[in-house]
Amino acid sequence: TSRNNNNNNNNNNIHQSGSRWFSSSSSPPQEEFALSHPSEVDDGKVERGRIVAITSGKGGVGKTTSAASFAMGLAQRGRKTCVVDFDIGLRNLDIHLGCERRVIFDFVNVLMDECTLNQALLKDKREPNLSMLAASQTRDKESLTVDGVERVLAQLAKQFDYVVLDSPAGIESGARHAMYFADDAIIVTNPELSACRDADKMVGFIWSKSRRAELGPSETEAVSQTLLITRYSPERAEAEESLSIGDIEELLGLPVVGVVPESKDVLTCTNMGSPVISLGDDNPAAGAYSDMVDRFLGEEKELRFVTPEPVSFFSKLFN
């Protein structure tokens, strides 16, 4: 009897943030959600944008770089897209999109009802289908609540086809809130063991602690998770100096949506405030991001830039 009572208590106290409890044992009525029930998005019963979380376990693997290019790629293909910076206190997405001087209101201002959502949204100067909601640099991550985040995402999902969440690394508050409402999750990792191990932890958190996980398979599908490998060097992988694509797939058990090669252009684009994908398909890194967007939207494409470039006779001779 004691064990049953403990289990019931645990089931009723799985997740708390803000003013509402979320229970995996008894799903709340649909009308309690500001953001529509996930199953209605999957089967097309309601017209709202999909929530896509770009996340990772380890910092520095290229999440924000990837979020900026992914959102730009969706917008270039005619999808109305908003990318949201969830890294409260450490805002960087605005730099990648070249709009850091235009930020007046931010995500937390909207949460606190200090401005309207439309006042805080920034339209991209190059792509009319792309908007951004910046993170706060002065507030604490504890400003985020489940109710508040859901309310803002519900408003965004009514206006946009895709709402891309640029999650901070790890499992702190910003990351937890970003992955909780995700319909899709793109896990970003580098071809190194520590990054893959941390990514594996994030995969587990999404499987078990997202809203879709709480609702369960009887009510909705699980979060669709895919893998984006960045800073990949086929030469190093062939020389067994880094993990190969096969190694990473085996470690994480997720389908690969894209492989972005190591490129000096990434840093150049960040400093210029331009997403890497803007360099065009002839650039390897930009082409890889473009392919990744197409695969996410359902197009079948072979992976490029994943085999070593042939070495010329003179390179072999002099090296």
Side-chain angles (χ1 to χ4, degrees):
T1 304
S2 175
R3 183 179 300 173
N4 290 337
N5 288 338
N6 288 337
N7 287 339
N8 289 335
N9 289 336
N10 289 336
N11 284 336
N12 291 325
N13 294 279
I14 288 178
H15 184 81
Q16 182 188 32
S17 184
S19 60
R20 188 170 57 187
W21 293 93
F22 289 82
S23 168
S24 62
S25 59
S26 56
S27 302
Q30 180 177 322
E31 59 268 21
E32 287 189 17
F33 291 114
L35 192 65
S36 62
H37 196 286
S39 63
E40 296 183 344
V41 182
D42 296 335
D43 58 24
K45 288 183 180 178
V46 296
E47 292 186 6
R48 77 145 168 94
R50 291 188 70 87
I51 311 297
V52 186
I54 311 292
T55 188
S56 75
K58 187 175 184 293
V61 298
K63 284 185 310 302
T64 301
T65 298
S66 299
S69 284
F70 176 65
M72 176 64 79
L74 290 172
Q76 289 173 341
R77 286 154 178 76
R79 274 70 169 185
K80 290 190 66 178
T81 304
C82 180
V83 57
V84 184
D85 193 341
F86 263 75
D87 200 356
I88 308 300
L90 295 173
R91 186 169 73 209
N92 282 308
L93 182 61
D94 54 331
I95 295 176
H96 287 256
L97 292 174
C99 58
E100 65 274 13
R101 296 181 181 178
R102 297 168 55 203
V103 177
I104 305 298
F105 296 112
D106 56 50
F107 190 8
V108 176
N109 290 137
V110 180
L111 288 174
M112 300 297 182
D113 291 321
E114 297 168 352
C115 69
T116 66
L117 177 61
N118 286 333
Q119 283 180 290
L121 286 176
L122 296 176
K123 284 189 174 293
D124 188 80
K125 294 178 288 186
R126 298 148 296 197
E127 175 50 62
N129 285 321
L130 179 62
S131 297
M132 186 201 75
L133 180 58
S136 173
Q137 284 186 306
T138 59
R139 305 294 182 91
D140 188 84
K141 289 180 172 63
E142 299 308 314
S143 301
L144 299 179
T145 66
V146 169
D147 289 337
V149 170
E150 181 181 20
R151 176 171 53 83
V152 175
L153 293 182
Q155 293 179 64
L156 290 170
K158 291 178 181 178
Q159 298 183 43
F160 297 94
D161 300 318
Y162 289 95
V163 181
V164 179
L165 312 182
D166 179 24
S167 165
I171 53 175
E172 48 81 31
S173 177
R176 292 198 309 272
H177 283 87
M179 67 87 179
Y180 182 73
F181 291 105
D183 299 309
D184 308 282
I186 298 175
I187 314 297
V188 185
T189 188
N190 291 158
E192 57 181 71
L193 189 57
S194 61
C196 289
R197 183 180 65 179
D198 290 350
D200 196 31
K201 291 181 181 179
M202 184 56 67
V203 172
F205 269 87
I206 295 171
W207 283 130
S208 61
K209 294 195 174 183
S210 63
R211 184 172 75 159
R212 285 174 176 260
E214 289 184 359
L215 292 170
S218 62
E219 291 202 34
T220 187
E221 296 178 6
V223 176
S224 173
Q225 298 193 58
T226 52
L227 185 64
L228 176 63
I229 304 170
T230 57
R231 302 187 66 180
Y232 188 74
S233 169
E235 291 79 14
R236 293 191 64 191
E238 186 176 60
E240 298 185 350
E241 295 174 356
S242 70
L243 298 176
S244 68
I245 297 172
D247 294 332
I248 299 170
E249 285 182 304
E250 185 177 349
L251 281 169
L252 299 178
L254 293 179
V256 173
V257 73
V259 178
V260 181
E262 180 80 68
S263 174
K264 296 179 181 178
D265 294 323
V266 172
L267 180 59
T268 302
C269 286
T270 300
N271 291 334
M272 293 177 61
S274 177
V276 178
I277 199 171
S278 302
L279 294 176
D281 198 60
D282 292 335
N283 180 276
Y289 275 121
S290 181
D291 289 352
M292 170 253 195
V293 176
D294 290 333
R295 290 190 200 96
F296 178 83
L297 293 175
E299 187 174 339
E300 292 187 10
K301 281 194 167 185
E302 289 188 13
L303 292 173
R304 295 190 286 167
F305 320 112
V306 296
T307 55
E309 294 184 3
V311 181
S312 68
F313 170 76
F314 290 105
S315 294
K316 291 181 179 179
L317 183 65
F318 290 108
N319 290 333

